[in-house]
Amino acid sequence: MSKIREIHNQLKNKEISCLELVRERLDLLKKNTHNTVNSLLEETALNLAKKVDTKIANGEEIGLLEGIPFGIKDVYMLQGTLATASSDLLKNYKSPYTATAIQKLLDAGAIPLVKENCDSFGHGSSSENTIFGAVKNAINTDLVGGGSSGGSAVNVAKDYTIFSIGGDTGGSIRQPAGYNHVFGMKPTYGRISRFGLMAYASSTDCVGPIAKSIEDIRIVLNAMSGKDAKDQTTYQSKTISEESILNSDKIKTVGYFKNFINSNAINPKVKADFLASIEKIKAKGIEVKELDFFESDTLVSTYYTLAMAETASNLSRLDGTNYGNRMEGDNLKDTYSITRSENFSEETKRRIVGGNQVLSQGFSDEIYLKGLNLRDQISGNFEKDFKEVDVILSPVTPSTPPKIGDSLKDPLAMYLSDAYTVGFSLGQLPTLTIPKGTETGLQITAAKNNDELVLQFANFLNDLI
Ligand code: GLN
């Protein structure tokens, strides 16, 4: 059931006013104890809501997204508002411009309510690596909200926002969506402009929606997609229609990676539930194929090698000169090092040190180039697979959400929890979490630019399971 359509109709029929709607959600956000809020956009939101009400009162038509309240992970630019990346370094930084994806939503009339808590610079899988306090899971507050887009997923799960815009570099939309039982999509790389999204690992960074229905994912995805002169990796995609995703007849063959399911690291219940879903799919006459894939350890090491290299490079500009909370030292070099060592978190520093090591002379051939080579092999494997199957199904995570505090004690265990999401990021493929099938959901992936097929299969599975 589309919440966007439901609210749109209520607004149109004057059953609710936009001001009431926005006030109510702002109150919920203010009172919430899940630590999802970095800053509230109260004044902007209330002013926009009044304008929508005036339009409706004047008998003017409103668009589908007009007046719909949404949340924004705090790594996006929205002109004049704080963009902290949940970090000390940028805790007072104000966006000088607006991200393309967010601008498109504003142009469609959607109302931004909140900049949402997340792992600092997207570094993490639990939303504990933040100066605003660990995000608490929507279902069980002893558990993590997931990451890095934890605040966004929890806000949607708790109905504080109707949809939220997360960012996914290696799983940061899909994993928290799974941990909080909502839908989350990472589109094909390049479908949505990254302009105005703070760069983590530029070659896998993706903008994407988190919502409570597949229809809402489709609506928001369409609104944000498109070629953008400010991001040369974007391409023009076709709008995905409502009708086109209701029919899944095109899907004849589904694949899954047998080593994901036979791994020692998978929780036995996740495994049993996943295999039960596979049986239900087979019972519908769809062919299911077991596929060979790289070991999870290889995927995780390849991803982290490249992601650390890219983030070390991307974050080098944050030295207190143009950006960031500058801390003066005795000379310029000291100023750089004090600013960076005092203001970056442990996790971010680990990645900067690791990334610079990977890229340094004498090591880069051995490590970075090898990572790139493996990435090519992973992409090649996907190309081969998608000649045989229409979609690939996998669990979202090997296990259920950890307790708050556990991931901080064991970063390696946290990296390994990304085992099932990072491969699809390296392949730049469209992939979505549906909150069904296993405790942390199922992940549906298709070949590049086949985002429509992902949504079709999601509708099919949603009815089936
Ligand atoms: N957990 C992964 C990481 O820390 C993915 C994060 C993300 O997608 N931003 O790199």
Side-chain angles (χ1 to χ4, degrees):
M1 185 48 200
S2 162
K3 289 206 160 246
I4 294 176
R5 281 188 197 285
E6 188 186 318
I7 294 176
H8 174 70
N9 289 333
Q10 287 171 336
L11 287 172
K12 237 176 40 180
N13 300 334
K14 301 190 184 146
E15 288 160 32
I16 53 168
S17 79
C18 192
L19 196 58
E20 248 174 84
L21 169 74
V22 165
R23 268 213 188 105
E24 188 186 277
R25 307 288 155 156
L26 285 169
D27 276 351
L28 289 169
L29 284 163
K30 268 186 216 164
K31 286 191 203 129
N32 102 80
T33 51
H34 291 260
N35 286 335
T36 60
V37 177
N38 286 3
S39 56
L40 278 183
L41 310 171
E42 191 161 6
E43 212 185 299
T44 315
L46 292 173
N47 284 336
L48 288 171
K50 281 181 208 151
K51 285 194 186 140
V52 174
D53 282 335
T54 311
K55 243 177 125 171
I56 296 168
N58 291 341
E60 287 175 54
E61 285 280 317
I62 55 162
L64 191 52
L65 280 170
E66 216 160 334
I68 306 292
F70 74 105
I72 307 172
K73 182 179 183 181
D74 204 7
V75 287
Y76 286 94
M77 300 295 156
L78 173 62
Q79 193 173 36
T81 69
L82 289 167
T84 72
S86 295
S87 70
D88 271 320
L89 199 86
L90 296 179
K91 70 179 168 211
N92 300 316
Y93 180 72
K94 281 202 172 160
S95 323
Y97 60 94
T98 299
T100 300
I102 305 300
Q103 188 59 51
K104 286 184 173 222
L105 293 171
L106 299 180
D107 293 346
I111 299 185
L113 297 186
V114 52
K115 297 299 290 293
E116 299 167 318
N117 200 358
C118 55
D119 284 301
S120 191
F121 298 103
H123 296 158
S125 316
S126 65
S127 290
E128 294 171 288
N129 174 32
T130 156
I131 61 164
F132 296 100
V135 175
K136 295 182 187 163
N137 190 284
I139 296 128
N140 177 347
T141 51
D142 293 335
L143 307 181
V144 302
S148 61
S149 312
S152 311
V154 172
N155 280 340
V156 171
K158 300 291 288 180
D159 294 320
Y160 302 153
T161 59
I162 305 306
F163 66 89
S164 284
I165 304 307
D168 191 312
T169 304
S172 279
I173 287 176
R174 290 160 284 156
Q175 187 255 44
Y179 279 8
N180 296 286
H181 301 184
V182 291
F183 295 87
M185 179 159 193
K186 180 197 97 61
T188 302
Y189 179 83
R191 187 181 184 97
I192 301 177
S193 169
R194 288 174 293 117
F195 179 74
L197 161 65
M198 283 184 209
Y200 164 13
S202 314
S203 75
T204 62
D205 285 346
C206 288
V207 178
I210 299 176
K212 276 208 161 158
S213 70
I214 299 162
E215 178 59 1
D216 287 352
I217 294 278
R218 183 194 71 83
I219 293 168
V220 179
L221 178 72
N222 278 338
M224 293 192 294
S225 299
K227 193 161 176 55
D228 180 14
K230 294 174 184 146
D231 174 357
Q232 293 300 314
T233 62
T234 50
Y235 65 95
Q236 192 56 47
S237 51
K238 258 201 0 240
T239 302
I240 300 173
S241 74
E242 189 183 358
E243 303 73 47
S244 72
I245 62 164
L246 294 177
N247 185 344
S248 62
D249 287 355
K250 268 193 256 162
I251 298 161
K252 307 260 187 265
T253 319
V254 173
Y256 74 90
F257 296 131
K258 53 177 187 270
N259 60 323
F260 277 12
I261 305 306
N262 296 331
S263 131
N264 292 333
I266 193 169
N267 168 308
K269 173 103 172 60
V270 171
K271 176 174 176 169
D273 290 347
F274 179 79
L275 291 172
S277 303
I278 290 287
E279 288 310 316
K280 287 187 189 163
I281 294 168
K282 280 186 190 161
K284 283 280 171 193
I286 291 179
E287 188 186 355
V288 176
K289 285 190 181 169
E290 288 189 341
L291 302 169
D292 290 317
F293 199 42
F294 290 81
E295 287 306 321
S296 307
D297 287 1
T298 310
L299 297 173
V300 171
S301 346
T302 307
Y303 166 77
Y304 275 98
T305 300
L306 299 177
M308 285 189 187
E310 291 189 35
T311 205
S313 168
N314 278 325
L315 295 184
S316 63
R317 78 193 81 166
L318 302 184
D319 58 12
T321 307
N322 288 317
Y323 310 100
N325 188 19
R326 183 181 176 99
M327 293 175 126
E328 293 296 337
D330 290 341
N331 51 48
L332 188 60
K333 199 168 157 230
D334 274 0
T335 299
Y336 287 161
S337 50
I338 297 170
T339 299
R340 286 167 66 84
S341 44
E342 294 295 318
N343 284 311
F344 279 131
S345 67
E346 284 307 303
E347 184 56 40
T348 294
K349 281 188 274 193
R350 198 164 16 247
R351 293 175 186 218
I352 292 174
V353 170
N356 283 329
Q357 172 82 359
V358 163
L359 291 172
S360 60
Q361 203 174 11
F363 291 95
S364 61
D365 285 3
E366 195 50 43
I367 317 175
Y368 182 66
L369 294 186
K370 195 167 167 194
L372 286 181
N373 181 292
L374 269 161
R375 183 183 192 166
D376 285 346
Q377 292 181 40
I378 290 165
S379 300
N381 203 308
F382 283 131
E383 266 174 44
K384 180 176 71 52
D385 288 342
F386 285 116
K387 290 203 178 101
E388 282 189 44
V389 301
D390 300 308
V391 293
I392 292 175
L393 194 68
S394 71
V396 179
T397 55
S399 36
T400 51
K403 284 220 170 72
I404 289 180
D406 286 357
S407 303
L408 294 179
K409 282 184 241 150
D410 191 352
L412 189 60
M414 182 182 82
Y415 300 161
L416 288 170
S417 76
D418 298 332
Y420 301 158
T421 49
V422 292
F424 302 123
S425 295
L426 291 170
Q428 304 188 325
L429 306 177
T431 168
L432 164 138
T433 289
I434 162 173
K436 293 259 180 103
T438 82
E439 177 56 30
T440 60
L442 292 170
Q443 190 179 198
I444 302 165
T445 309
K448 262 190 198 170
N449 307 341
N450 254 332
D451 305 56
E452 184 175 274
L453 206 62
V454 170
L455 294 174
Q456 280 171 4
F457 196 63
N459 267 328
F460 169 81
L461 269 191
N462 204 29
D463 292 342
L464 181 70
I465 297 175

